[in-house]
Amino acid sequence: MLRNGETGDWIGTFEGHKGAVWGACLDTPALRAATASADFSSRVWDALSGDELHSFEHKHIVRTCAFSESTTSLLTGGSEKILRIFDLSRPDAAPTEMEGSPGVIRTVVWLHSDQSLLSSCTDAGGVRIWDVRTQSIVRTLETKSPCTSVEVSRDGRYITTADGSSVKFWDANHFGLVKSYNLSRPVESASLEPFRGKFIAGGDDMWVRLLDFHTGEEIECNKGHHGPVHCVRFSPGGESYASGSEDGTIRIWRTFESGSDEVEGGHSNGLETNTKVAVDDVVLKVEGFHIKPQLEPEAEDGSEKSPQE
């Protein structure tokens, strides 16, 4: 499903998968979308029309996918423990395959202008760094628990990982550990906003926390989800961030700035406050994954638009 990142409004639905969708992403100009599914396929869609452009068949569940920075390739990984790179200019050609992952692949990320790859596993700790040219693992970022989230910061300087109750930040060029913070509860996902010096984390306690990158101090605690939080990500400009939960909702939160009069959830810098929350300004809630007919956008002639229009 495609939604407006500022308002949460529904734009359209990509229909065609026959199994659960484990992963989804947009390319850099947001003209194409890609999905990874339990129906043993990864698909590429026209993000403007909703039309399916390509379907890449696999032999097992596909857990994750990512467009290259150049948008010319699609990277996939999953239960086969094989990384595949599909050339989108030649979709019928056989993909480049990289074997050697110690477990089921959970996340994949491009790095260094598409010269390197990052991958993590569902059942093995660490993040593997792959050289695209040699198609081999060249280094491993060691973690005690499997990494449930891996992200490269927008400025290209840091790799953010979440494993167990820990959020770690690694140098994206030399791969040394820069910072590591242990939180009170297991963390499922984390995301860094490097230009604001903040990061967010969410997990099984159903709360979404905003923290200071330099000190690890909690700035804000967002309460509202009614199930574990599986994914958190900052918007491209960092002015807001989204959280996806097992409760069937996506919530969009406004990034709290020092000196602001509004604090979501009445919790700032680890202290309870009595600040009144302006809900319309701070959080937007995206309900479920079924569009009710009365909520669908209308065409200019007043008729309902289909997801592909």
Side-chain angles (χ1 to χ4, degrees), residues 2-11 252 284-287:
L2 184 66
R3 289 183 176 272
N4 184 299
E6 294 183 346
T7 65
D9 291 343
W10 175 79
I11 296 173
I252 302 173
L284 295 167
K285 180 179 177 184
V286 180
E287 294 279 2

Side-chain angles (χ1 to χ4, degrees), residues 144-148 162-168 183 185-188:
K144 293 182 179 179
S145 304
C147 284
T148 52
D163 71 285
S165 300
S166 173
V167 177
K168 295 181 174 65
L183 305 187
R185 299 285 297 180
V187 181
E188 187 83 7

Side-chain angles (χ1 to χ4, degrees), residues 77-90:
S79 296
E80 291 180 83
K81 306 179 184 179
I82 299 174
L83 290 175
R84 289 184 172 88
I85 299 177
F86 294 89
D87 185 341
L88 297 179
S89 65
R90 298 186 302 129

